[in-house]
Amino acid sequence: MSARILSGTEIAAQVRAELSGRAEALATTLGRPPGLAVVLVGDNPASRSYVTGKRKACNEIGVRTFDFDLPAATSMDELRSLLERLNSDGAVDGILVQLPLPAHLDERAAIEHIRPEKDVDGIHPENAGRLLRGEDGFVPCTPLGVVELLRRSHISTRGAHVVIVGRGQLVGRPLSCLMLRKGEGGDATVTVCHSATPDLARFTRDADILVAAAGRPRVVTAHMVREGAVVIDVGVNRVGTTASGKARLCGDVDFAPVAEKAAAITPVPGGVGPMTIAMLLSNTLRAAERARSSTPT
Ligand code: NAP
């Protein structure tokens, strides 16, 4: 294997260590710890495992979590009234509703119910619009994590051809906006591919930086990657269980053969996933800092 492995686990640990100092300073000035409400509805095992990881990471750096584990039968009215309560709770700086919600709940309406200033997942239409316009706002954690991972790995996007496989609302689409922004972490030439893209390899082979965010196990194979490209694998696919009964994960990239050709590559697990959690912490501290600066003294 020739590629440099971009360890999200290691980089996220550095980010968390920096954030921990900021959280401590904020707790002193606020007179309370920064707070994140984490809402989980139902019992989807993948969602539960993500939520557990997020809560643990918060508590480790001094962010207090307010945990709401609601039954799958929760009604839209119940969810809405919880969000209203959290919107006006001064101890809650950020609100995270773990997606997907059970099918009977209106995901879009739920998201629109979160105050944009507390939308640390960056999915409220106001924040999505700000990102599209290149304005300041909350950006979804996974694309933010990809940009931060590249930045801290000293891989410049300026002038690079970035090809993103996937145009989802949480990853591909916002990442394309981020990479198009002027300045550090942006200034890329971006191509976005999706399920209707004919001859995907024609585009991916031209990438300096290839980002796979399709949610299809090993859809990116070695013949689709240019020699010396940087490959970022966002995909998390559950492909069976390990001997100890845990979910067996794989990315959207056929790791070993692609690593023979790439200059750098992220593993799954241990790549983009830990960066996503680190960016959630970062967004939460930002929300707390903004709330503090807008509070009259
Ligand atoms: P999504 O909303 O379902 O979007 C998937 C995108 O991939 C769609 O645009 C789809 O095209 C495209 N696609 C699917 N199959 C394709 C193919 N064979 N060729 C080209 N494009 C294809 O998913 P998402 O929320 O963006 O998530 C994408 C992946 O990232 C998933 O594996 C998810 O688990 C993972 N993820 C990881 C993290 C993390 O922290 N590591 C966080 C969030 C998500 P159409 O639009 O045409 O359907």
Side-chain angles (χ1 to χ4, degrees), residues 178-240:
L178 264 186
M179 294 218 162
L180 282 174
R181 289 207 295 201
K182 283 185 186 253
E184 200 192 358
D187 282 335
T189 302
V190 182
T191 300
V192 182
C193 303
H194 43 78
S195 66
T197 302
D199 191 7
L200 192 59
R202 179 159 76 89
F203 298 93
T204 58
R205 268 202 296 262
D206 193 51
D208 300 311
I209 301 174
L210 176 60
V211 182
R216 298 281 180 273
R218 303 185 189 97
V219 69
V220 173
T221 55
H223 88 282
M224 298 166 74
V225 177
R226 189 172 61 71
E227 198 82 41
V230 171
V231 179
I232 306 293
D233 191 352
V234 180
V236 178
N237 305 290
R238 289 175 146 67
V239 286

Side-chain angles (χ1 to χ4, degrees), residues 50 99 121-123 128 131 139-147 162-180 190-193 210-215 232-236 252 272-273 276:
Y50 289 138
L99 303 178
D121 243 354
I123 50 180
L131 177 60
V139 174
C141 303
T142 302
L144 210 52
V146 169
V147 169
V162 175
V163 177
I164 302 171
V165 184
R167 58 178 165 184
Q169 300 288 348
L170 284 180
V171 188
R173 206 173 282 247
L175 182 62
S176 69
C177 294
L178 264 186
M179 294 218 162
L180 282 174
V190 182
T191 300
V192 182
C193 303
L210 176 60
V211 182
I232 306 293
D233 191 352
V234 180
V236 178
D252 287 356
V272 174
T276 296

Side-chain angles (χ1 to χ4, degrees), residues 48-64:
R48 179 160 294 282
S49 131
Y50 289 138
V51 158
T52 304
K54 290 170 184 176
R55 288 172 176 160
K56 184 165 169 275
C58 282
N59 295 325
E60 278 170 5
I61 70 146
V63 169
R64 177 178 175 198

